[in-house]
Amino acid sequence: MTALLLLAALAAPVRAQEDGEADGSSREDDLFGESAPTAPGEGISEAIRAADQRLTVGGRLYLRGNAYVPEDPGLDEVALDSPNLLDLYVDARPNDQLRAFAQARTTHDPTVPMGSVALDQLWVNASAGGRVFVTAGQQRIKWGAGRFWNPTDFLDPARLDALAFFDERTGVPLLKVHVPFEKAGWNLYGLAGFDGASTPDRIQGAFRAEWLVGLTEMAVSAALRKGDPERFGAQVSTGLGPIDLKGEVALTHGLDTPGWTGRFDWTAFEWPTEVDRSGDWIPQVVAGAEWGVRYSDRDSLYLGVEYFYNDLGYDDPDLYAWLAYQNQFTPFYLGRHYGGAYVYLPAPGRADDHTFVLSTLGNLSDRSFVSRLDWSARLVTELSVNAYTQVHYGELGGEFRLEVDVPEIPEVLPDGLFIPAPLVDVGVGAAVRFGPPRWPGISR
Protein backbone atom coordinates (compact mmCIF):
# COMPACT_ATOMS: atom_id res chain seq x y z
CA MET A 1 0.00 0.00 0.00
CA THR A 2 2.87 2.35 0.79
CA ALA A 3 4.28 1.75 -2.67
CA LEU A 4 0.95 2.52 -4.33
CA LEU A 5 0.58 5.78 -2.39
CA LEU A 6 4.10 6.78 -3.39
CA LEU A 7 3.33 6.09 -7.03
CA ALA A 8 0.17 8.13 -6.89
CA ALA A 9 2.09 11.03 -5.42
CA LEU A 10 4.66 10.86 -8.16
CA ALA A 11 2.03 10.31 -10.83
CA ALA A 12 3.34 10.25 -14.36
CA PRO A 13 2.18 11.36 -17.82
CA VAL A 14 1.55 10.05 -21.18
CA ARG A 15 -0.53 11.22 -24.10
CA ALA A 16 -3.75 9.34 -24.64
CA GLN A 17 -3.68 7.67 -28.02
CA GLU A 18 -6.34 5.75 -29.89
CA ASP A 19 -5.82 1.99 -29.67
CA GLY A 20 -3.69 0.37 -32.35
CA GLU A 21 -3.03 3.45 -34.47
CA ALA A 22 -0.23 6.01 -34.56
CA ASP A 23 -0.85 9.73 -34.90
CA GLY A 24 2.53 10.77 -36.25
CA SER A 25 4.38 10.86 -32.91
CA SER A 26 6.69 7.87 -33.43
CA ARG A 27 10.14 7.93 -34.99
CA GLU A 28 8.78 5.69 -37.75
CA ASP A 29 6.38 8.44 -38.81
CA ASP A 30 9.33 10.86 -38.97
CA LEU A 31 11.23 8.40 -41.15
CA PHE A 32 8.49 7.30 -43.52
CA GLY A 33 6.00 10.16 -43.34
CA GLU A 34 2.35 10.34 -44.27
CA SER A 35 0.64 11.64 -47.35
CA ALA A 36 -2.36 13.94 -47.13
CA PRO A 37 -5.69 12.06 -47.33
CA THR A 38 -7.67 12.26 -50.54
CA ALA A 39 -10.80 14.41 -50.43
CA PRO A 40 -14.02 12.35 -50.52
CA GLY A 41 -15.57 11.87 -53.91
CA GLU A 42 -19.12 11.28 -55.02
CA GLY A 43 -21.12 8.39 -56.47
CA ILE A 44 -19.21 5.41 -57.81
CA SER A 45 -15.75 6.92 -57.23
CA GLU A 46 -16.54 7.27 -53.53
CA ALA A 47 -17.73 3.65 -53.35
CA ILE A 48 -14.52 2.42 -55.02
CA ARG A 49 -12.41 4.46 -52.64
CA ALA A 50 -14.32 3.08 -49.62
CA ALA A 51 -13.76 -0.48 -50.90
CA ASP A 52 -10.04 0.18 -51.29
CA GLN A 53 -9.84 1.39 -47.70
CA ARG A 54 -11.30 -1.86 -46.36
CA LEU A 55 -8.18 -3.84 -47.35
CA THR A 56 -4.77 -2.27 -47.88
CA VAL A 57 -1.37 -3.79 -48.45
CA GLY A 58 1.93 -1.98 -48.05
CA GLY A 59 5.32 -1.95 -46.45
CA ARG A 60 8.75 -0.44 -46.39
CA LEU A 61 12.25 -1.35 -47.47
CA TYR A 62 15.12 0.03 -45.40
CA LEU A 63 18.66 -0.46 -46.72
CA ARG A 64 21.58 0.59 -44.53
CA GLY A 65 25.27 0.11 -43.93
CA ASN A 66 27.39 0.73 -40.83
CA ALA A 67 31.10 0.81 -40.03
CA TYR A 68 32.56 0.54 -36.53
CA VAL A 69 36.07 1.90 -36.15
CA PRO A 70 38.00 0.99 -32.95
CA GLU A 71 40.91 2.86 -31.46
CA ASP A 72 44.26 2.39 -33.32
CA PRO A 73 42.53 0.37 -36.06
CA GLY A 74 43.86 -1.75 -38.83
CA LEU A 75 41.60 -2.58 -41.77
CA ASP A 76 40.99 -6.03 -40.34
CA GLU A 77 39.68 -4.47 -37.10
CA VAL A 78 37.03 -2.23 -38.70
CA ALA A 79 33.70 -4.06 -38.42
CA LEU A 80 31.01 -3.72 -41.09
CA ASP A 81 27.36 -4.69 -41.14
CA SER A 82 24.31 -4.04 -43.28
CA PRO A 83 21.14 -5.00 -41.36
CA ASN A 84 18.53 -4.38 -44.07
CA LEU A 85 14.84 -4.57 -43.27
CA LEU A 86 11.77 -5.41 -45.32
CA ASP A 87 8.41 -4.94 -43.60
CA LEU A 88 5.18 -6.03 -45.31
CA TYR A 89 1.71 -5.53 -43.88
CA VAL A 90 -1.95 -6.27 -44.59
CA ASP A 91 -4.54 -3.97 -43.01
CA ALA A 92 -8.21 -5.02 -43.14
CA ARG A 93 -11.09 -2.80 -41.96
CA PRO A 94 -14.39 -4.58 -42.67
CA ASN A 95 -16.32 -1.84 -40.86
CA ASP A 96 -15.84 1.09 -38.49
CA GLN A 97 -15.89 -1.20 -35.43
CA LEU A 98 -13.42 -3.86 -36.55
CA ARG A 99 -9.84 -3.91 -37.79
CA ALA A 100 -7.28 -6.68 -38.39
CA PHE A 101 -3.59 -6.04 -39.00
CA ALA A 102 -0.62 -8.30 -39.78
CA GLN A 103 3.00 -7.33 -40.38
CA ALA A 104 6.07 -9.49 -40.98
CA ARG A 105 9.70 -8.37 -40.94
CA THR A 106 12.52 -9.87 -42.97
CA THR A 107 16.08 -8.99 -41.93
CA HIS A 108 19.03 -9.60 -44.23
CA ASP A 109 22.66 -8.72 -43.60
CA PRO A 110 25.07 -9.70 -46.41
CA THR A 111 27.98 -9.63 -43.95
CA VAL A 112 26.61 -12.67 -42.08
CA PRO A 113 25.51 -15.99 -43.61
CA MET A 114 21.88 -16.01 -42.42
CA GLY A 115 18.90 -13.69 -42.40
CA SER A 116 15.72 -13.92 -40.34
CA VAL A 117 11.97 -13.56 -40.59
CA ALA A 118 9.98 -12.33 -37.58
CA LEU A 119 6.35 -11.67 -36.83
CA ASP A 120 6.12 -8.02 -35.91
CA GLN A 121 2.37 -7.51 -35.51
CA LEU A 122 -0.70 -9.73 -35.76
CA TRP A 123 -3.74 -8.30 -34.04
CA VAL A 124 -7.48 -7.68 -34.20
CA ASN A 125 -9.06 -4.52 -32.81
CA ALA A 126 -12.78 -4.20 -32.11
CA SER A 127 -14.83 -1.52 -30.41
CA ALA A 128 -18.20 -1.57 -28.69
CA GLY A 129 -19.93 1.60 -29.76
CA GLY A 130 -16.74 3.61 -29.36
CA ARG A 131 -16.83 3.09 -25.57
CA VAL A 132 -14.57 0.07 -25.14
CA PHE A 133 -11.71 -0.94 -27.44
CA VAL A 134 -10.24 -4.44 -27.39
CA THR A 135 -6.99 -5.36 -29.15
CA ALA A 136 -5.84 -8.99 -29.15
CA GLY A 137 -2.63 -10.42 -30.61
CA GLN A 138 0.96 -9.41 -31.29
CA GLN A 139 1.06 -5.61 -30.98
CA ARG A 140 3.56 -2.83 -30.39
CA ILE A 141 3.42 -1.06 -27.07
CA LYS A 142 5.57 1.56 -25.36
CA TRP A 143 5.19 3.15 -21.93
CA GLY A 144 7.33 5.99 -20.66
CA ALA A 145 7.87 9.74 -20.87
CA GLY A 146 11.66 9.79 -21.27
CA ARG A 147 13.40 10.31 -24.59
CA PHE A 148 16.43 8.11 -23.87
CA TRP A 149 15.34 5.94 -20.93
CA ASN A 150 11.98 4.31 -20.14
CA PRO A 151 12.20 2.24 -16.93
CA THR A 152 8.37 2.09 -16.80
CA ASP A 153 8.20 0.32 -20.18
CA PHE A 154 7.23 -2.89 -18.37
CA LEU A 155 5.55 -4.91 -21.10
CA ASP A 156 8.26 -4.96 -23.77
CA PRO A 157 11.07 -7.36 -22.75
CA ALA A 158 13.55 -5.49 -24.99
CA ARG A 159 14.88 -2.10 -23.92
CA LEU A 160 14.67 0.85 -26.29
CA ASP A 161 18.00 1.62 -27.99
CA ALA A 162 18.47 5.21 -26.80
CA LEU A 163 20.38 6.33 -29.92
CA ALA A 164 18.66 4.27 -32.62
CA PHE A 165 17.30 6.14 -35.64
CA PHE A 166 13.90 4.58 -34.99
CA ASP A 167 12.46 1.98 -32.61
CA GLU A 168 13.10 -1.43 -34.21
CA ARG A 169 11.48 -3.52 -31.49
CA THR A 170 8.74 -5.87 -32.65
CA GLY A 171 5.38 -6.43 -31.02
CA VAL A 172 4.41 -8.29 -27.85
CA PRO A 173 1.54 -10.84 -27.52
CA LEU A 174 -1.15 -9.04 -25.52
CA LEU A 175 -4.86 -8.77 -24.83
CA LYS A 176 -5.56 -5.08 -24.24
CA VAL A 177 -8.82 -3.48 -23.13
CA HIS A 178 -8.97 0.31 -23.43
CA VAL A 179 -11.80 2.33 -21.87
CA PRO A 180 -11.64 6.08 -22.67
CA PHE A 181 -13.53 8.77 -20.76
CA GLU A 182 -13.19 11.65 -23.20
CA LYS A 183 -15.06 14.32 -21.25
CA ALA A 184 -13.05 13.66 -18.10
CA GLY A 185 -9.76 13.26 -19.98
CA TRP A 186 -9.19 9.74 -18.61
CA ASN A 187 -7.96 6.53 -20.25
CA LEU A 188 -7.98 3.16 -18.49
CA TYR A 189 -6.14 0.09 -19.78
CA GLY A 190 -6.24 -3.51 -18.64
CA LEU A 191 -3.74 -5.90 -20.24
CA ALA A 192 -2.85 -9.56 -20.20
CA GLY A 193 0.62 -10.51 -21.48
CA PHE A 194 1.21 -13.94 -23.03
CA ASP A 195 4.93 -13.75 -23.75
CA GLY A 196 6.40 -16.97 -22.31
CA ALA A 197 3.05 -17.92 -20.71
CA SER A 198 3.12 -21.70 -21.28
CA THR A 199 0.62 -22.21 -18.43
CA PRO A 200 -2.27 -20.00 -17.23
CA ASP A 201 -0.47 -18.99 -14.03
CA ARG A 202 2.32 -17.43 -16.14
CA ILE A 203 0.01 -14.91 -17.83
CA GLN A 204 1.12 -11.38 -16.96
CA GLY A 205 -1.42 -8.88 -15.70
CA ALA A 206 -0.98 -5.13 -16.17
CA PHE A 207 -2.99 -1.97 -15.53
CA ARG A 208 -2.57 1.64 -16.59
CA ALA A 209 -4.55 4.81 -15.87
CA GLU A 210 -3.93 8.12 -17.65
CA TRP A 211 -5.51 11.47 -16.95
CA LEU A 212 -5.18 15.14 -17.79
CA VAL A 213 -5.31 18.04 -15.31
CA GLY A 214 -5.02 21.36 -17.11
CA LEU A 215 -1.82 21.07 -19.16
CA THR A 216 -0.39 18.30 -16.99
CA GLU A 217 -0.55 14.70 -18.19
CA MET A 218 -0.22 11.95 -15.61
CA ALA A 219 -0.34 8.16 -15.47
CA VAL A 220 0.20 5.26 -13.10
CA SER A 221 0.85 1.66 -14.11
CA ALA A 222 1.57 -1.78 -12.68
CA ALA A 223 2.70 -5.15 -14.05
CA LEU A 224 2.48 -8.43 -12.12
CA ARG A 225 3.19 -12.08 -12.92
CA LYS A 226 3.65 -15.12 -10.70
CA GLY A 227 7.35 -15.73 -10.12
CA ASP A 228 8.39 -12.34 -11.57
CA PRO A 229 9.20 -9.08 -9.77
CA GLU A 230 6.35 -6.71 -8.94
CA ARG A 231 6.67 -3.49 -10.92
CA PHE A 232 4.90 -0.18 -10.42
CA GLY A 233 5.33 3.00 -12.43
CA ALA A 234 4.29 6.62 -12.61
CA GLN A 235 4.76 9.42 -15.17
CA VAL A 236 4.17 13.15 -15.38
CA SER A 237 4.68 15.78 -18.05
CA THR A 238 3.74 19.42 -17.91
CA GLY A 239 4.65 22.83 -19.28
CA LEU A 240 6.40 25.67 -17.49
CA GLY A 241 6.34 28.63 -19.85
CA PRO A 242 8.37 27.64 -22.94
CA ILE A 243 9.83 24.57 -21.19
CA ASP A 244 8.28 21.09 -21.22
CA LEU A 245 9.03 19.03 -18.11
CA LYS A 246 8.68 15.26 -17.94
CA GLY A 247 9.58 12.43 -15.62
CA GLU A 248 8.89 8.85 -14.71
CA VAL A 249 9.49 6.59 -11.71
CA ALA A 250 9.63 2.79 -11.65
CA LEU A 251 9.68 0.66 -8.49
CA THR A 252 10.67 -3.00 -8.59
CA HIS A 253 10.11 -5.47 -5.73
CA GLY A 254 10.96 -9.16 -5.55
CA LEU A 255 13.90 -8.96 -7.98
CA ASP A 256 14.67 -12.49 -9.17
CA THR A 257 18.13 -11.78 -10.67
CA PRO A 258 21.10 -11.31 -8.34
CA GLY A 259 23.16 -8.18 -7.91
CA TRP A 260 26.94 -8.31 -7.62
CA THR A 261 29.71 -6.72 -5.59
CA GLY A 262 33.42 -7.22 -5.15
CA ARG A 263 36.29 -7.83 -7.55
CA PHE A 264 36.39 -9.75 -10.82
CA ASP A 265 39.82 -10.95 -11.95
CA TRP A 266 40.13 -13.65 -14.61
CA THR A 267 43.77 -14.40 -13.95
CA ALA A 268 43.49 -14.63 -10.17
CA PHE A 269 40.19 -16.57 -10.35
CA GLU A 270 38.44 -14.01 -8.16
CA TRP A 271 34.69 -13.78 -8.62
CA PRO A 272 32.16 -11.17 -7.48
CA THR A 273 29.89 -11.90 -4.53
CA GLU A 274 26.17 -12.37 -5.17
CA VAL A 275 23.80 -9.86 -3.55
CA ASP A 276 20.18 -10.80 -2.86
CA ARG A 277 17.91 -7.78 -3.42
CA SER A 278 14.62 -9.66 -3.63
CA GLY A 279 13.31 -7.92 -0.50
CA ASP A 280 14.25 -4.39 -1.61
CA TRP A 281 12.10 -1.75 -3.28
CA ILE A 282 14.41 -0.70 -6.13
CA PRO A 283 13.79 2.74 -7.71
CA GLN A 284 14.60 4.00 -11.19
CA VAL A 285 13.93 7.68 -11.87
CA VAL A 286 13.99 9.75 -15.09
CA ALA A 287 13.69 13.54 -15.18
CA GLY A 288 13.95 15.69 -18.30
CA ALA A 289 13.20 19.08 -19.81
CA GLU A 290 12.85 20.42 -23.35
CA TRP A 291 12.96 24.05 -24.43
CA GLY A 292 11.66 25.15 -27.82
CA VAL A 293 13.61 28.14 -29.15
CA ARG A 294 12.07 30.11 -32.02
CA TYR A 295 14.84 31.61 -34.17
CA SER A 296 12.75 32.87 -37.11
CA ASP A 297 9.11 33.43 -38.02
CA ARG A 298 8.67 29.81 -39.08
CA ASP A 299 11.59 27.89 -37.56
CA SER A 300 12.38 26.51 -34.12
CA LEU A 301 15.01 24.31 -32.56
CA TYR A 302 14.60 22.20 -29.44
CA LEU A 303 17.10 21.82 -26.61
CA GLY A 304 16.65 18.94 -24.19
CA VAL A 305 18.32 17.37 -21.18
CA GLU A 306 17.57 14.15 -19.29
CA TYR A 307 18.86 12.47 -16.12
CA PHE A 308 18.44 8.81 -15.20
CA TYR A 309 19.01 7.33 -11.74
CA ASN A 310 19.22 3.55 -12.03
CA ASP A 311 19.39 1.71 -8.71
CA LEU A 312 19.74 -1.54 -10.67
CA GLY A 313 23.03 -0.29 -12.14
CA TYR A 314 26.64 -0.34 -10.96
CA ASP A 315 29.31 2.20 -10.08
CA ASP A 316 32.20 -0.18 -10.83
CA PRO A 317 32.90 -0.79 -14.57
CA ASP A 318 35.19 -3.70 -13.65
CA LEU A 319 32.01 -5.75 -13.22
CA TYR A 320 30.87 -5.28 -16.83
CA ALA A 321 32.69 -8.38 -18.12
CA TRP A 322 31.13 -10.44 -15.34
CA LEU A 323 27.67 -9.06 -16.14
CA ALA A 324 28.18 -10.06 -19.78
CA TYR A 325 29.15 -13.57 -18.63
CA GLN A 326 25.98 -13.71 -16.49
CA ASN A 327 23.83 -12.47 -19.41
CA GLN A 328 23.03 -9.29 -17.44
CA PHE A 329 24.79 -6.80 -19.71
CA THR A 330 22.07 -4.34 -20.77
CA PRO A 331 23.36 -1.28 -22.68
CA PHE A 332 22.16 2.10 -21.36
CA TYR A 333 21.10 0.41 -18.09
CA LEU A 334 24.51 -0.68 -16.73
CA GLY A 335 25.49 2.40 -14.72
CA ARG A 336 23.96 3.94 -11.62
CA HIS A 337 23.80 7.50 -12.97
CA TYR A 338 23.27 8.69 -16.57
CA GLY A 339 22.87 12.04 -18.26
CA GLY A 340 21.73 12.96 -21.75
CA ALA A 341 21.35 16.09 -23.85
CA TYR A 342 20.13 16.76 -27.38
CA VAL A 343 19.53 19.47 -29.97
CA TYR A 344 16.70 18.74 -32.41
CA LEU A 345 16.57 20.92 -35.54
CA PRO A 346 13.67 20.12 -37.90
CA ALA A 347 13.31 21.76 -41.33
CA PRO A 348 15.80 24.63 -40.82
CA GLY A 349 15.41 27.67 -43.09
CA ARG A 350 14.56 26.61 -46.62
CA ALA A 351 15.66 23.01 -45.99
CA ASP A 352 12.12 21.89 -45.22
CA ASP A 353 12.81 18.23 -45.97
CA HIS A 354 15.89 17.95 -43.73
CA THR A 355 16.20 17.14 -40.02
CA PHE A 356 19.26 17.23 -37.74
CA VAL A 357 19.65 15.73 -34.27
CA LEU A 358 22.75 16.01 -32.09
CA SER A 359 22.67 13.77 -29.00
CA THR A 360 25.13 13.10 -26.19
CA LEU A 361 24.76 10.37 -23.57
CA GLY A 362 27.01 9.88 -20.58
CA ASN A 363 27.39 7.07 -18.09
CA LEU A 364 28.18 9.39 -15.19
CA SER A 365 29.14 6.47 -12.96
CA ASP A 366 32.07 5.35 -15.13
CA ARG A 367 32.59 8.71 -16.92
CA SER A 368 32.29 7.42 -20.47
CA PHE A 369 30.36 9.25 -23.19
CA VAL A 370 29.01 8.93 -26.71
CA SER A 371 27.90 11.74 -29.04
CA ARG A 372 25.92 11.21 -32.23
CA LEU A 373 24.87 13.45 -35.12
CA ASP A 374 21.90 12.25 -37.19
CA TRP A 375 20.76 13.74 -40.49
CA SER A 376 17.70 12.67 -42.44
CA ALA A 377 16.02 14.01 -45.57
CA ARG A 378 12.91 13.17 -47.55
CA LEU A 379 13.87 13.21 -51.23
CA VAL A 380 10.37 12.40 -52.47
CA THR A 381 7.21 11.36 -50.65
CA GLU A 382 8.14 7.67 -50.68
CA LEU A 383 11.95 7.92 -50.38
CA SER A 384 13.99 9.05 -47.38
CA VAL A 385 17.72 8.92 -46.67
CA ASN A 386 19.67 9.26 -43.46
CA ALA A 387 23.24 9.23 -42.15
CA TYR A 388 24.92 9.38 -38.75
CA THR A 389 28.31 9.74 -37.10
CA GLN A 390 28.89 8.57 -33.54
CA VAL A 391 31.99 9.25 -31.40
CA HIS A 392 33.01 7.44 -28.18
CA TYR A 393 35.16 9.14 -25.55
CA GLY A 394 35.80 9.39 -21.82
CA GLU A 395 37.28 6.86 -19.41
CA LEU A 396 38.75 3.75 -21.02
CA GLY A 397 36.84 0.68 -19.85
CA GLY A 398 33.58 2.57 -19.32
CA GLU A 399 30.34 1.50 -20.97
CA PHE A 400 30.66 3.74 -24.03
CA ARG A 401 34.41 3.15 -24.39
CA LEU A 402 34.54 -0.48 -23.34
CA GLU A 403 37.76 -2.39 -23.93
CA VAL A 404 38.23 -6.10 -23.23
CA ASP A 405 41.79 -7.16 -22.36
CA VAL A 406 42.14 -10.64 -20.89
CA PRO A 407 45.73 -11.89 -20.53
CA GLU A 408 46.82 -15.40 -21.30
CA ILE A 409 45.28 -18.05 -19.05
CA PRO A 410 47.04 -21.44 -19.50
CA GLU A 411 44.73 -24.26 -20.65
CA VAL A 412 41.77 -21.88 -20.56
CA LEU A 413 42.61 -18.95 -22.84
CA PRO A 414 46.12 -19.62 -24.15
CA ASP A 415 46.17 -16.65 -26.55
CA GLY A 416 44.35 -14.23 -24.28
CA LEU A 417 41.60 -11.95 -25.59
CA PHE A 418 41.75 -8.33 -26.68
CA ILE A 419 38.87 -6.27 -28.09
CA PRO A 420 39.82 -2.61 -28.62
CA ALA A 421 37.58 0.20 -27.42
CA PRO A 422 35.24 1.77 -30.01
CA LEU A 423 36.17 5.15 -31.40
CA VAL A 424 33.86 6.16 -34.28
CA ASP A 425 30.74 4.60 -35.81
CA VAL A 426 29.28 5.79 -39.11
CA GLY A 427 26.29 4.68 -41.11
CA VAL A 428 23.97 5.52 -44.00
CA GLY A 429 20.49 4.37 -44.90
CA ALA A 430 17.73 4.70 -47.46
CA ALA A 431 14.07 3.89 -46.88
CA VAL A 432 11.32 3.36 -49.41
CA ARG A 433 7.71 3.31 -48.25
CA PHE A 434 5.00 1.81 -50.42
CA GLY A 435 1.31 1.36 -49.93
CA PRO A 436 -1.22 3.73 -48.30
CA PRO A 437 -0.04 6.68 -46.21
CA ARG A 438 -1.25 5.51 -42.80
CA TRP A 439 1.37 3.42 -40.97
CA PRO A 440 0.19 1.64 -37.80
CA GLY A 441 2.68 2.38 -35.06
CA ILE A 442 3.25 1.96 -31.35
CA SER A 443 0.30 2.15 -29.01
CA ARG A 444 0.09 2.78 -25.31
Side-chain angles (χ1 to χ4, degrees):
M1 180 63 69
T2 302
L4 292 176
L5 292 175
L6 174 61
L7 291 172
L10 293 173
V14 86
R15 291 189 185 278
Q17 180 172 321
E18 186 178 11
D19 246 4
E21 186 152 339
D23 291 321
S25 60
S26 72
R27 296 186 185 183
E28 290 189 55
D29 292 330
D30 294 337
L31 178 59
F32 298 103
E34 284 191 9
S35 303
T38 306
E42 296 181 358
I44 189 169
S45 62
E46 183 177 358
I48 293 174
R49 184 177 298 109
D52 289 342
Q53 291 175 350
R54 286 199 292 268
L55 179 64
T56 57
V57 178
R60 61 169 177 201
L61 173 63
Y62 185 31
L63 302 178
R64 54 186 169 174
N66 304 298
Y68 308 95
V69 183
E71 296 184 4
D72 301 320
L75 285 179
D76 59 339
E77 294 177 324
V78 176
L80 303 175
D81 68 13
S82 181
N84 304 309
L85 303 178
L86 173 63
D87 288 348
L88 297 173
Y89 72 84
V90 177
D91 190 0
R93 305 179 190 233
N95 55 59
D96 292 340
Q97 306 295 317
L98 184 63
R99 182 182 181 191
F101 184 82
Q103 178 174 300
R105 169 170 294 173
T106 299
T107 304
H108 174 67
D109 187 339
T111 66
V112 296
M114 297 181 63
S116 65
V117 178
L119 177 65
D120 183 2
Q121 300 183 70
L122 183 69
W123 49 261
V124 173
N125 173 262
S127 68
R131 297 181 178 180
V132 179
F133 299 86
V134 179
T135 307
Q138 184 99 346
Q139 52 194 289
R140 297 184 187 179
I141 190 162
K142 178 182 179 294
W143 290 353
R147 178 183 179 90
F148 298 121
W149 296 280
N150 297 128
T152 62
D153 198 4
F154 298 145
L155 299 183
D156 198 319
R159 291 292 191 183
L160 174 69
D161 184 339
L163 290 174
F165 186 58
F166 69 98
D167 189 352
E168 295 185 37
R169 297 177 298 173
T170 55
V172 180
L174 296 169
L175 173 63
K176 178 173 59 179
V177 179
H178 170 207
V179 182
F181 298 89
E182 294 183 6
K183 292 183 179 180
W186 278 75
N187 286 281
L188 300 180
Y189 299 88
L191 305 101
F194 297 92
D195 188 27
S198 57
T199 57
D201 63 340
R202 289 292 296 161
I203 297 175
Q204 182 181 39
F207 169 80
R208 183 175 183 84
E210 305 171 352
W211 65 97
L212 183 66
V213 178
L215 298 177
T216 301
E217 299 171 334
M218 296 176 284
V220 293
S221 56
L224 305 169
R225 186 191 333 227
K226 181 180 179 182
D228 285 0
E230 305 160 4
R231 293 180 289 182
F232 303 93
Q235 296 175 224
V236 62
S237 66
T238 189
L240 184 63
I243 299 176
D244 292 330
L245 303 176
K246 56 188 177 182
E248 59 184 281
V249 176
L251 289 177
T252 302
H253 181 260
L255 188 68
D256 54 355
T257 54
W260 304 96
T261 187
R263 188 166 180 263
F264 178 44
D265 189 333
W266 292 85
T267 57
F269 295 97
E270 293 186 27
W271 319 115
T273 302
E274 184 174 319
V275 178
D276 181 7
R277 303 193 65 185
S278 59
D280 297 342
W281 286 95
I282 302 172
Q284 294 171 290
V285 182
V286 171
E290 182 178 272
W291 179 29
V293 181
R294 196 171 192 83
Y295 61 91
S296 74
D297 291 341
R298 55 190 296 268
D299 296 313
S300 298
L301 65 82
Y302 301 87
L303 307 174
V305 294
E306 193 165 294
Y307 168 75
F308 176 35
Y309 171 72
N310 178 30
D311 197 41
L312 287 173
Y314 296 86
D315 292 317
D316 185 1
D318 291 338
L319 289 172
Y320 291 167
W322 178 254
L323 293 173
Y325 178 70
Q326 296 293 325
N327 198 28
Q328 293 179 242
F329 189 98
T330 307
F332 306 107
Y333 288 80
L334 286 175
R336 184 67 59 88
H337 300 275
Y338 285 91
Y342 62 90
V343 179
Y344 172 54
L345 183 61
R350 297 183 179 180
D352 290 338
D353 296 322
H354 297 257
T355 298
F356 300 88
V357 182
L358 176 62
S359 306
T360 293
L361 297 183
N363 184 325
L364 306 181
S365 299
D366 62 32
R367 296 183 296 280
S368 65
F369 301 87
V370 58
S371 293
R372 172 168 168 148
L373 176 62
D374 280 280
W375 161 79
S376 62
R378 179 159 295 119
L379 302 185
V380 294
T381 302
E382 295 82 10
L383 175 62
S384 299
V385 295
N386 71 281
Y388 76 89
T389 299
Q390 186 167 286
V391 181
H392 303 257
Y393 53 101
E395 290 291 328
L396 186 64
E399 175 183 356
F400 299 121
R401 198 175 168 223
L402 188 59
E403 178 180 88
V404 177
D405 188 3
V406 181
E408 175 186 341
I409 304 176
E411 298 182 3
V412 177
L413 202 63
D415 297 325
L417 176 65
F418 179 72
I419 301 176
L423 179 61
V424 177
D425 311 324
V426 295
V428 296
V432 177
R433 178 183 56 80
F434 47 93
R438 177 67 69 180
W439 185 268
I442 296 174
S443 69
R444 298 293 181 187

